[in-house]
């Protein structure tokens, strides 16, 4: 089974703190994604990466950065956390879409509260 | 169906009944569609997917129907069970390896 793990299930940080959210997948997937999920808004893509050291902005990259130093690990960084970044953060991974499916495998999520 | 803004559409069904969850997609060039189920406190889980050259695909107790003419996707769940209670998302692929997600529909199953 594909496993995507996220470093924390719940996190509480103060405004202005630097926050690291870590994601690890064990299926040698090329693609990795970070989403945030807010009530009624579905999943919105923050950043994605299709290879080590490669990154692409998604729909809402402002206030975030990412790092992918190893294939299995994709980190989301909030340089200076703000209260409007309080949200559920979901990491996902997928194979390079050369076949039939673009299925993404999700981690359990990190609920971040910024106070 | 699709949600707009902060309100999540809710479908309430009786245990044992069939459920139909609808989704309108935006891009006629999308060639792949997928349904996810998300239970409270968990990440989304794959249910079923379909490519644009198909009209219907069946899984275990689930069927996805695709109507490209009106850009509509539906998920049918047969004999709905309490464990089916969750939020259901549709998503489409129309560029690279990315998925664009709908806002979700909450399914509540009444015992």
């Amino acid at each position: 089974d594909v496993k995507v793990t996220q470093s924390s299930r719940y996190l509480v940080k103060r405004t202005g703190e630097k926050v690291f959210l870590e994601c690890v997948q064990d299926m040698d997937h090329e693609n990795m994604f970070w989403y945030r999920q807010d009530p009624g808004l579905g999943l919105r893509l923050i950043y994605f990466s299709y290879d080590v050291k490669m990154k692409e902005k998604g729909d809402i990259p402002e206030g975030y950065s990412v790092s992918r130093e190893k294939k299995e690990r994709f980190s989301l960084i909030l340089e200076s956390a703000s209260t409007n970044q309080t949200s559920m953060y979901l990491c996902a991974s997928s194979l390079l879409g050369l076949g039939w499916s673009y299925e993404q495998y999700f981690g359990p999520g990190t609920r971040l509260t910024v106070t | 169906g699709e949600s707009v803004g902060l309100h999540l559409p809710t479908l309430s069904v009786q245990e044992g009944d069939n459920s139909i969850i609808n989704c309108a997609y935006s891009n006629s060039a999308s060639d792949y569609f997928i349904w996810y189920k998300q239970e409270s406190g968990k990440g989304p889980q794959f249910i079923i997917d379909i490519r644009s050259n198909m009209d219907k695909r069946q899984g275990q107790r689930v069927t996805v129907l695709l109507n490209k003419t009106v850009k509509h996707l539906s998920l049918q769940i047969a004999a709905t069970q309490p464990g089916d209670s969750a939020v259901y998302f549709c998503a489409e692929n129309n560029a690279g390896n990315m998925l664009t997600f709908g806002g979700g529909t909450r399914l509540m199953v009444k015992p």
Side-chain angles (χ1 to χ4, degrees), chain B residues 58-70:
Chain B
Q58 289 184 287
Q60 190 176 13
R61 277 201 310 120
V62 294
T63 301
V64 56
L65 297 177
L66 176 63
N67 185 331
K68 295 181 285 294
T69 303
V70 294

Side-chain angles (χ1 to χ4, degrees), chain B residues 1 9 11 13 16 19-20 24 39 48 53 56-58 61 63 81-82 87 94 98-99 105:
Chain B
L11 176 66
V13 300
S19 303
I20 300 176
E39 296 174 277
I48 192 167
N53 59 355
K56 178 180 179 178
R57 194 166 189 229
Q58 289 184 287
R61 277 201 310 120
T63 301
Q81 302 168 359
V87 176
N94 51 49
M98 290 187 287
L99 295 174
T105 297

Side-chain angles (χ1 to χ4, degrees), chain B residues 88-103:
Chain B
Y88 290 80
F89 294 96
C90 66
E92 61 187 293
N93 168 269
N94 51 49
N97 291 277
M98 290 187 287
L99 295 174
T100 302
F101 286 84

Side-chain angles (χ1 to χ4, degrees), chain B residues 2-95:
Chain B
E2 287 293 309
S3 68
V4 177
L6 299 178
H7 301 288
L8 199 61
T10 299
L11 176 66
S12 185
V13 300
Q14 203 71 40
E15 181 179 356
D17 287 351
N18 297 335
S19 303
I20 300 176
I21 300 171
N22 296 304
C23 179
Y25 63 93
S26 56
N27 193 330
S28 56
S30 294
D31 62 358
Y32 172 86
F33 306 88
I34 188 169
W35 281 98
Y36 284 93
K37 172 187 180 183
Q38 186 177 24
E39 296 174 277
S40 182
K42 296 183 179 179
Q45 296 176 288
F46 169 85
I47 302 173
I48 192 167
D49 55 5
I50 188 168
R51 288 206 73 101
S52 60
N53 59 355
M54 305 168 74
D55 297 322
K56 178 180 179 178
R57 194 166 189 229
Q58 289 184 287
Q60 190 176 13
R61 277 201 310 120
V62 294
T63 301
V64 56
L65 297 177
L66 176 63
N67 185 331
K68 295 181 285 294
T69 303
V70 294
K71 293 190 286 186
H72 184 267
L73 195 65
S74 68
L75 177 71
Q76 300 179 358
I77 305 174
T80 313
Q81 302 168 359
D84 295 326
S85 293
V87 176
Y88 290 80
F89 294 96
C90 66
E92 61 187 293
N93 168 269
N94 51 49

Side-chain angles (χ1 to χ4, degrees), chain A residues 5-45:
Chain A
T5 57
Q6 295 183 229
S7 51
S8 305
R9 292 301 304 275
Y10 301 94
L11 211 51
V12 180
K13 295 291 182 180
R14 293 195 181 276
T15 299
E17 279 193 83
K18 190 168 185 176
V19 182
F20 292 87
L21 302 183
E22 304 284 341
C23 176
V24 177
Q25 50 94 5
D26 66 357
M27 283 301 291
D28 203 36
H29 284 172
E30 291 85 2
N31 302 319
M32 295 189 76
F33 307 84
W34 274 107
Y35 295 90
R36 64 176 282 177
Q37 183 177 31
D38 300 289
L41 294 178
L43 278 70
R44 293 181 292 167
L45 182 65

